Amino acid sequence: MRVVAARDGGLCRIRLPGGVLSAAHSRALADAARAHASGVLELTNRANVQIRGVRAGEEAALSAMLIGAGLGPAGIDAASPVERACAADELRNVMLSPLAGLDPNAASDTTALAQALIDMMQREPRFAALSPKFALQLDGGERLAMLEHPHDIWLAARKHGATVRFVLGLAGCPSEPPVGALAVEDVCTSIRALLHAFLDLANANATRMRDVLAAHSLEALLQRAREHGEFALMRDDTPSHAWRRATSDARLRLGAHALHADGSGYVGAQPVLGRIDSNTLHALADLAVEHGDATLCVTPWQGLLLPNVAGHAMPATLERLRALGLVCANADPLARLVACTGSTGCAKSRADTKADALRLATLLPDDTEVHLSGCERSCAAAHRAPFTLLASAPERYDLYRREDSKAGLGPRFGQLLAPNLTIEAAALALAQQPRSTHDV
Ligand code: SF4
């Protein structure tokens, strides 16, 4: 809705609730990107899409085309005031697993609850004051989930006898200790009370939950939520480590995977460095119609899944994805690289991170994951990667290594190993590091 200026033209972010994109919406996005922008789209690490290179003077036409196709928030149409559309759109930051509603072994299908949370937030005018970055995670216990991105509020489903409870945590990830648990029927009203409590305590500079918890005790926040009524947080005697979420294997995001006894499941792939052109997006929509259920699920790894592919159709689907130039296997070095927009599209970038990442792909040691960032803002990775190359100048990078297993904590990129390296020198330095894709 809100087109922001970038070096390569306007940038338009489109939020996809739950990351789900129907084939019709995929085609509408591709057509809009071609009609009013460069035709280049990016998948983001929040499982959203952005259109790059929006032409000057065509911003309103682009937004109208997207809203007209049903890609705006509920209740917004092409005649709605832009500011109202923006405010409503920014309240759709609810992260789900790309397998939400698809994994039969998950503790809970979170799709309906996610929609109820989004509706609740969009209904309440006061919540328009929440920062566009304020984000919730709803984890149903699916086998594939991004568990390393810190969220302001996270909820994770746990079996509790014959029922399910959602454990609740703040300013962190579902792999960390929670603060309590909610019955499913209490989630919406309790989160509403918690959001009001957050806004009560947040001063002008406190936009995220971590800011409020730095200035106020957890108990003060929870007490304030209780004063808003219907805050039904249960404290549980179970040791908090027993509530923690088991890890999720990110390698499951690529390739063909059966979910059901009949061999049907999903096929995952990612465009090179998260970028896709409108022709490829059209081809993916066709593929989803032909072999899947006419939807694409965008993943927080800047990739996508085709859900509900029959077992017998998986090899052909994978082959088509490969032919379209998508990365489909973890062995591909491009599966282990992320890079921000870089200097071709972002004025803040000190290097052309995308081009440098492609060079590094030809030299990357096995089992090594690297994030290339043009500046300290780290747009391409919300968590700390095992290794980060932070641009210091064109074609020069400082190499950092993550130091602990808590991907979201501590200094931004970890320990500085070596400054001002060329890509070739960085590859050599990486080859001398312990081989681990997960924790160092
Ligand atoms: S990390 Fe910095 S250089 Fe890269 S896209 Fe974000 S703001 Fe631009």
Side-chain angles (χ1 to χ4, degrees):
M1 305 299 121
R2 208 190 289 281
V3 178
V4 296
R7 184 174 269 173
D8 56 348
L11 178 67
C12 178
R13 298 197 179 95
I14 299 103
R15 293 189 201 274
L16 307 174
V20 177
L21 196 52
S22 68
H25 280 164
S26 306
R27 292 182 180 124
L29 266 177
D31 291 343
R34 212 158 29 200
H36 297 294
S38 62
V40 173
L41 302 102
E42 287 175 340
L43 309 181
T44 77
N45 61 22
R46 294 210 49 81
N48 290 320
V49 178
Q50 54 196 26
I51 295 174
R52 300 208 68 92
V54 180
R55 290 192 278 277
E58 298 187 33
E59 297 86 349
L62 176 74
S63 291
M65 196 167 167
L66 295 170
I67 292 171
L71 279 156
I76 297 294
D77 57 33
S80 300
V82 170
E83 281 309 312
R84 188 178 149 234
C86 289
D89 197 44
E90 285 162 357
L91 291 174
R92 296 199 289 162
N93 262 342
V94 179
M95 169 79 82
L96 304 183
S97 158
L99 294 182
L102 298 169
D103 184 351
N105 294 316
S108 173
D109 176 347
T110 54
T111 51
L113 185 54
Q115 194 54 55
L117 282 167
I118 290 169
D119 291 347
M120 177 272 291
M121 288 194 286
Q122 290 185 341
R123 260 197 322 269
E124 193 109 0
R126 191 185 184 204
F127 294 155
L130 290 167
S131 156
K133 292 198 164 154
F134 194 96
L136 279 74
Q137 180 166 25
L138 194 50
D139 167 35
E142 299 85 357
R143 68 188 75 180
L144 174 64
M146 168 54 84
L147 300 175
E148 295 185 318
H149 288 182
H151 284 77
D152 295 279
I153 298 173
W154 59 262
L155 293 150
R158 299 283 180 278
K159 296 272 189 207
H160 186 78
T163 62
V164 167
R165 284 183 177 176
F166 278 88
V167 295
L168 169 76
L170 302 173
C173 323
S175 52
E176 294 168 8
V179 299
L182 294 167
V184 177
E185 60 273 19
D186 294 329
V187 167
C188 267
T189 50
S190 296
I191 296 302
R192 178 181 170 277
L194 192 55
L195 291 174
H196 276 295
F198 169 83
L199 288 171
D200 288 350
L201 299 181
N203 63 29
N205 298 321
T207 57
R208 307 298 300 271
M209 185 62 81
R210 63 173 178 261
D211 303 328
V212 163
L213 290 176
H216 301 271
S217 69
L218 171 64
E219 201 40 57
L221 176 74
L222 299 180
Q223 181 52 37
R224 185 61 77 110
R226 282 182 209 108
E227 290 164 15
H228 280 282
E230 301 187 279
F231 185 63
L233 187 74
M234 294 177 275
R235 299 302 182 104
D236 196 312
D237 292 337
T238 316
S240 65
H241 64 79
W243 290 6
R244 288 197 197 182
R245 167 69 145 101
T247 56
S248 163
D249 185 350
R251 290 173 297 184
L252 294 173
R253 75 193 191 279
L254 297 177
H257 300 277
L259 291 173
H260 302 281
D262 64 1
S264 64
Y266 69 92
V267 181
Q270 63 193 51
V272 172
L273 301 176
R275 269 205 182 156
I276 195 164
D277 62 59
S278 51
N279 289 340
T280 306
L281 189 52
H282 260 287
L284 289 170
D286 293 345
L287 191 56
V289 169
E290 190 179 336
H291 287 315
D293 62 2
T295 63
L296 301 167
C297 293
V298 178
T299 75
W301 294 272
Q302 297 172 279
L304 41 84
L305 310 181
L306 274 76
N308 290 315
V309 177
H312 66 81
M314 284 186 180
T317 307
L318 259 182
E319 198 42 54
R320 289 263 292 277
L321 290 168
R322 279 193 211 102
L324 288 169
L326 275 74
V327 176
C328 298
N330 289 286
D332 189 328
L334 289 164
R336 292 178 273 113
L337 287 169
V338 290
C340 75
T341 300
S343 54
T344 59
C346 176
K348 291 190 178 66
S349 187
R350 297 184 282 262
D352 185 350
T353 49
K354 294 271 193 219
D356 291 338
L358 291 177
R359 268 174 53 220
L360 183 59
T362 64
L363 306 167
L364 192 69
D366 292 345
D367 296 338
T368 302
E369 289 179 23
V370 183
H371 162 214
L372 290 87
S373 193
C375 80
E376 289 73 7
R377 290 182 66 173
S378 188
C379 295
H383 67 297
R384 196 171 337 124
F387 294 98
T388 298
L389 286 169
L390 175 63
S392 52
E395 300 186 34
R396 289 286 189 284
Y397 291 85
D398 298 338
L399 174 62
Y400 290 82
R401 180 178 65 196
R402 188 167 84 193
E403 281 181 296
D404 57 55
S405 60
K406 293 179 180 172
L409 300 179
R412 180 96 217 200
F413 297 118
Q415 179 195 1
L416 177 64
L417 294 180
N420 208 33
L421 300 174
T422 62
I423 286 295
E424 289 72 20
L428 274 177
L430 287 163
Q432 290 160 5
Q433 296 301 312
R435 295 284 194 282
S436 170
T437 56
H438 301 292
D439 298 324
V440 179

